[in-house]
Amino acid sequence: MNDNPTEQLLRSWEANAEAWSDAIANAAIPSRVQVTDAAVMEAILDLRARRVLDLGCGEGWLVRALSATGVEVVGVDASASLLARAREGGGGAFHLCSYAQMAANLERAGTGYDVIVCNFSLLQEELSPLLMSLRQCLRAGGALVIQTTHPWSSRGEAPYKNGWRMETFAPFGDGFREPMPWYFRTLQAWIELLIASGYRIVTVREPTHRASWEPASILFIVTTGTDPASP
Ligand SMILES: C[S@@+](CC[C@H](N)C(=O)[O-])C[C@H]1O[C@@H](n2cnc3c(N)ncnc32)[C@H](O)[C@@H]1O
């Protein structure tokens, strides 16, 4: 890969913003409709969160869904087109910036969050500096909720080892203009990353398709403190 994969990753979201937004609006991703949307909502509502930061909010479906339950939500994303869609849909406050820009200026995102959620939005190789700085945005005892592709079911044909992969979005419909590089992590690598970034793992869930018993995702709930992550 000649280009910096993280920059290519961000560019692909801008290039694919319309196709992605249509895929979400048309419920074209069965794993989301059947399993993972409900799983992330349940995780956040179980924590009885009142203020949530949705990091990598995309076109904003989770901001809208949470705000409909009375939660105050702030969404952050680097794609201007996706964030414009999110703003149109409403439900929260929004900031257009990359994670690196946000980490360099944390007041922008705010502090004292009960929950920071990353729903399929941690896609780059270097994550520890971001995860470490996010601790300052959480209230004491607050939780970071990460839902991501399950290392076992998303490993594909490649060896089970960390490394960059390429998503073509082929199953999600027409109109995707650029493939997206994303960094595959083994389960061990996710756990080591979270611990090295100063978090305590509260629980790990494996939301599963009931028809096939394939895991649709993996969901980590972690906290900074020693107390259970509850309000
Ligand atoms: C798979 S989409 C998920 C969007 C949303 N969380 C959802 O559940 O539909 C990944 C999102 O993460 C955003 N993203 C990825 N890396 C980012 C970064 N370094 N800075 C800001 N946004 C980023 C992309 O722009 C994209 O909107």
Side-chain angles (χ1 to χ4, degrees):
M1 207 176 290
N2 299 327
D3 206 357
N4 173 330
T6 304
E7 285 167 17
Q8 197 184 339
L9 186 173
L10 292 181
R11 271 206 321 275
S12 79
W13 283 105
E14 187 54 30
N16 296 326
E18 196 177 332
W20 177 259
S21 303
D22 289 349
I24 300 290
N26 298 331
I29 307 176
S31 60
R32 288 190 162 229
V33 180
Q34 293 164 14
V35 185
T36 66
D37 287 359
V40 73
M41 280 294 285
E42 187 182 319
I44 296 168
L45 296 178
D46 280 357
L47 291 163
R48 300 198 295 283
R50 288 183 296 267
R51 279 194 77 224
V52 172
L53 176 63
D54 183 358
L55 196 68
C57 63
E59 53 66 63
W61 77 269
L62 185 54
V63 174
R64 296 189 291 279
L66 287 169
S67 76
T69 71
V71 178
E72 184 189 328
V73 195
V74 174
V76 167
D77 205 284
S79 161
S81 301
L82 285 171
L83 207 76
R85 294 266 191 154
R87 281 199 174 107
E88 264 169 46
F94 296 95
H95 298 292
L96 175 63
C97 61
S98 71
Y99 302 157
Q101 289 166 332
M102 197 198 83
N105 181 6
L106 283 178
E107 298 88 73
R108 196 167 182 165
T111 55
Y113 288 100
D114 301 313
V115 167
I116 299 175
V117 58
C118 303
N119 195 51
F120 299 105
S121 57
L122 295 181
L123 300 164
Q124 63 203 52
E125 178 175 7
E126 185 68 273
L127 283 177
S128 200
L130 170 71
L131 295 180
M132 283 195 226
S133 59
L134 285 180
R135 287 158 43 196
Q136 295 169 53
C137 297
L138 284 171
R139 69 160 172 79
L144 174 63
V145 174
I146 297 172
Q147 179 162 233
T148 189
T149 54
H150 195 289
W152 183 76
S153 56
S154 67
R155 72 197 184 287
E157 301 296 312
Y160 187 71
K161 63 182 232 198
N162 299 335
W164 284 96
R165 307 279 177 97
M166 196 60 94
E167 170 63 64
T168 63
F169 300 102
F172 302 155
D174 297 330
F176 285 89
R177 288 160 46 189
E178 281 192 30
M180 176 195 66
W182 64 284
Y183 194 78
F184 174 87
R185 260 169 250 275
T186 63
L187 181 58
Q188 178 176 333
W190 272 112
I191 291 169
E192 286 174 355
L193 170 69
L194 292 168
I195 292 170
S197 305
Y199 292 92
R200 185 174 66 80
I201 296 174
V202 176
T203 190
V204 178
R205 296 181 184 163
E206 295 175 293
T208 297
H209 289 282
R210 285 307 157 98
S212 61
W213 291 102
E214 283 285 317
S217 66
I218 193 161
L219 200 149
F220 300 96
I221 301 178
V222 301
T223 187
T224 56
T226 49
D227 296 333
S230 59

